[in-house]
Amino acid sequence: YNSLDQDFSGDPTQDHSVGSLDALHVLQYVVGKRDLDDYQRRVSDVNVDSEINALDALFILKYVVGLIDHFPLDELTVEKVEENDKWSK
């Protein structure tokens, strides 16, 4: 279950699964080698600090290898995300 309804946190590749390629896309964005649209930026900010950085990629990789079973983003309500979400503005 994802609290953002149609959004799939940690999945900037939009293939409906979270994998190492998603972490790669985040890292490429961080170093300026890839553009992400608004949706991709929103689901890439998995630690909900209003920044996309290597920490988000780390969370994605931890999820992929089973060290965590959800992202901080998944714990928020839709209202809280919309209130603090710079990506949707």
Side-chain angles (χ1 to χ4, degrees), residues 69-80:
D69 63 0
H70 66 280
F71 301 115
L73 179 59
D74 295 328
E75 296 173 355
L76 297 176
T77 64
V78 172
E79 293 80 21
K80 182 72 172 170

Side-chain angles (χ1 to χ4, degrees), residues 47-65:
N47 68 342
V48 201
D49 65 353
S50 297
E51 295 182 11
I52 299 170
N53 53 40
L55 190 54
D56 295 299
L58 177 62
F59 270 103
I60 292 170
L61 290 173
K62 283 183 172 187
Y63 180 86
V64 169
V65 300

Side-chain angles (χ1 to χ4, degrees), residues 14-31:
Q14 299 176 297
D15 63 357
H16 303 288
S17 67
V18 177
S20 58
L21 185 59
D22 295 298
L24 175 63
H25 280 217
V26 169
L27 290 173
Q28 288 174 330
Y29 174 80
V30 169
V31 298

